[in-house]
Amino acid sequence: MTIANPPPATALSPDLLGRFAAIVGDRHALTDPAELEAYVTEERNLYRGHSPLVLRPGSTAEVAAICRLAHEARVALVPQGGNTGLVGGQTPHHGEVVVSLKRMDKIRDIDLASNTMTVEAGVILQHAQERAADVDRLFPLSLGAQGSCTIGGNLSTNAGGTAALAYGLARDMALGIEVVLADGRILDLLSKLKKDNTGYDLRDLFIGAEGTLGIITAATLKLFPKPRAVATAFVGLPSPADALKLLGIAQAEAAGHLTSFELIAEIALDFSVRHAANRDPLESRHPWYVLIELSSMRDDASGALEAILEQGFEAGIVTDAAIAASLAQQQAFWKLREEISPAQKPEGGSIKHDVSVPIAAVPEFIEQANAAVVKLIPGARPVPFGHLGDGNIHYNVTQPLGADKAAYLARWHEVNKVVFDVVLRLGGSISAEHGIGVLKRDDLPAVKDKTAIDLMRAIKATLDPLGIMNPGKVV
């Protein structure tokens, strides 16, 4: 995808290349095209960038030195974590220098009394989860890319995931952060305090800013008690409206124990079964499915889940269900859900949307969006799935059977418009958890409050007056 209005890139002289390399050491300053490849492409192949230099700092001091030199020389920087972003925010579209945080992967501190863990930005999300489990705690952020995405990237995009229903987004799981500003100053907000009313909450400026205001180098994360019992079920039902009714039953019965409630269309399950070697958990197909999970500090999660399903059967909104009888079966249920996105690739082009609407409006959104995209492109195959519990639906649209992939993807913005029109009509958001990046940058002014856009641009101009921090992204 071509990015419009590229900002001018500063050519790097041999002297400037040498000065940057001296900060991190020659072996961590990459210029060979073969080595750069992994940093300028992204998983979906939607974007391809270019860069003369990738820097891999090993400390906050090195990141600060990079920013000071970039500020002095007016060199644009693109911060990058695990390079798993889905909106092009981590790609050097116009020849910027990439600052990869992957080497900054230390767990600095675990404080069980405060229930906090302080980590560097390059720590892989799965490693943070595992380290928390080692000390009998839970770090609940959970994403399909958790084996490769990083904490810095999670915070920069304010990632959501399958546990957001119970624990919130990445922003809600961070007590403090450390950030390097555009001019190289270090902002130390690594607090373990739950209460700190000392002025503006600067932390939240940088979480979700996608590296446009500064580079997050470390964070103090919240830890939670590790559940003693987890119960998971895969449920077949007739419609999203029935799924919404089941959600109401689950919330009434399980109170704070409901951790995930995922909605899956039959076509999404079909793709995951056929293309990702997964097994259908139920004996026959159903128009819609729900993956529901309860967690408890006691041993009664299964009983509560059975009570929810029993009410669903009695009300006629559940037609079949399977409760995981083992950890392996539980993992198989989640594998089916997590592989929905990659399983769409063999079906051809997929135009993707990460949107949210009020929870009560999810059935109406799906019905209206399905009608709109099929009217626009007859034969298009909507593949809705996602986090019904918080109103976040991944509304993907797969090309018609036999269609030309390139011609179909060329209509990306047409499909965006009809989907976004439905989202906005229902009071929703065009970006729920993946961010803005470049994919939705040009759509943002039309859907965001004008005063909010003005304030965002003013904050950007104040913190990054030279426009060198991830230019061309978000605003």
Side-chain angles (χ1 to χ4, degrees):
M1 184 176 288
T2 302
I3 306 305
N5 303 318
T10 301
L12 297 184
S13 66
D15 175 66
L16 196 52
L17 277 169
R19 291 176 68 189
F20 274 120
I23 294 171
V24 298
D26 288 342
R27 59 191 290 250
H28 298 300
L30 311 180
T31 58
D32 183 279
E35 293 182 307
L36 295 176
E37 182 70 13
Y39 299 89
V40 300
T41 56
E42 46 90 40
E43 183 180 352
R44 292 193 302 184
N45 295 317
L46 188 60
Y47 300 106
R48 182 180 180 84
H50 61 98
S51 174
L53 178 65
V54 171
L55 298 171
R56 305 194 314 133
S59 68
T60 301
E62 290 182 359
V63 176
I66 290 168
C67 290
R68 282 194 297 271
L69 179 53
H71 192 263
E72 172 195 327
R74 295 184 176 237
V75 172
L77 304 175
V78 173
Q80 192 177 101
N83 194 16
T84 61
L86 298 174
V87 293
Q90 77 281 16
T91 304
H93 296 285
H94 311 302
E96 303 93 337
V97 170
V98 174
V99 181
S100 170
L101 283 297
K102 282 186 175 180
R103 287 182 61 222
M104 295 183 60
D105 60 356
K106 297 181 182 64
I107 307 286
R108 292 186 184 177
D109 174 69
I110 295 179
D111 183 342
L112 297 183
S114 297
N115 275 320
T116 61
M117 177 168 59
T118 301
V119 307
E120 294 183 337
V123 169
I124 300 295
L125 172 55
Q126 185 173 322
H127 296 170
Q129 295 168 339
E130 291 168 349
R131 192 67 185 92
D134 288 343
V135 293
D136 199 33
R137 295 293 188 274
L138 172 72
F139 181 61
L141 186 63
S142 181
L143 313 172
Q146 62 195 32
S148 52
C149 65
T150 63
I151 295 297
N154 298 151
L155 292 172
S156 292
T157 58
N158 190 28
T162 56
L165 170 62
Y167 297 99
L169 305 182
R171 172 179 280 117
D172 302 302
M173 301 180 201
L175 282 173
I177 57 172
E178 175 186 84
V179 185
V180 175
L181 302 181
D183 59 8
R185 287 179 294 166
I186 299 172
L187 178 62
D188 186 353
L189 301 173
L190 286 176
S191 172
K192 299 178 182 180
L193 302 177
K194 288 183 169 60
K195 293 183 177 180
D196 184 1
N197 285 327
T198 52
Y200 303 141
D201 189 348
L202 299 177
R203 175 200 64 173
D204 275 357
L205 279 179
F206 299 94
I207 298 178
E210 300 182 47
T212 61
L213 303 179
I215 300 177
I216 295 175
T217 50
T220 300
L221 307 174
K222 297 178 184 177
L223 300 180
F224 296 83
K226 188 176 178 181
R228 302 301 175 214
V230 177
T232 311
F234 208 89
V235 183
L237 25 69
S239 70
D242 291 311
L244 189 63
K245 293 174 185 176
L246 185 63
L247 174 63
I249 293 171
Q251 289 173 324
E253 286 293 321
H257 301 308
L258 180 63
T259 49
S260 297
F261 199 96
E262 299 290 296
L263 180 68
I264 302 169
E266 180 184 6
I267 188 174
L269 178 134
D270 180 59
F271 288 175
S272 188
V273 169
R274 286 197 290 120
H275 299 305
N278 290 312
R279 178 180 172 273
D280 189 336
L282 304 180
E283 291 184 359
S284 61
R285 287 295 171 90
H286 302 267
W288 291 89
Y289 299 86
V290 161
L291 176 57
I292 179 172
E293 188 161 276
L294 306 183
S295 301
S296 174
M297 293 305 297
R298 300 187 299 273
D299 296 326
D300 59 351
S302 293
L305 184 54
E306 289 170 3
I308 292 166
L309 295 177
E310 183 177 344
Q311 288 190 47
F313 278 114
E314 290 175 352
I317 59 178
V318 170
T319 50
D320 197 6
I323 296 178
S326 65
L327 177 60
Q329 193 172 20
Q330 194 177 83
Q331 292 171 338
F333 288 178
W334 278 108
K335 181 174 179 287
L336 191 154
R337 160 62 180 89
E338 290 163 358
E339 292 184 347
I340 289 173
S341 288
Q344 291 170 71
K345 288 183 179 180
E347 294 289 331
S350 176
I351 297 176
K352 302 180 185 299
H353 307 86
D354 161 51
V355 300
S356 61
V357 295
I359 295 170
V362 168
E364 186 178 1
F365 162 71
I366 292 174
E367 180 181 2
Q368 292 187 19
N370 285 358
V373 298
V374 172
K375 180 179 179 181
L376 178 70
I377 304 179
R381 294 174 288 166
V383 187
F385 65 98
H387 320 302
L388 178 60
D390 54 38
N392 174 196
I393 299 300
H394 299 298
Y395 188 82
N396 299 348
V397 186
T398 295
Q399 70 179 57
L401 289 168
D404 179 79
K405 180 178 178 180
Y408 174 72
L409 292 178
R411 304 188 70 179
W412 191 290
H413 293 293
E414 291 179 68
V415 177
N416 279 177
K417 184 180 187 310
V418 299
V419 173
F420 290 165
D421 283 349
V422 176
V423 169
L424 297 174
R425 189 161 59 244
L426 295 175
S429 168
I430 67 169
S431 179
E433 62 180 4
H434 292 166
I436 297 297
V438 294
L439 182 65
K440 301 179 182 180
R441 180 196 63 192
D442 296 336
D443 296 309
L444 191 61
V447 302
K448 191 83 172 172
D449 177 78
K450 184 180 182 302
T451 302
I453 291 288
D454 289 344
L455 285 173
M456 289 167 66
R457 289 172 174 163
I459 291 167
K460 169 73 171 172
T462 298
L463 292 176
D464 181 23
L466 301 182
I468 64 170
M469 300 303 295
N470 214 6
K473 317 290 173 57
V474 186
V475 294

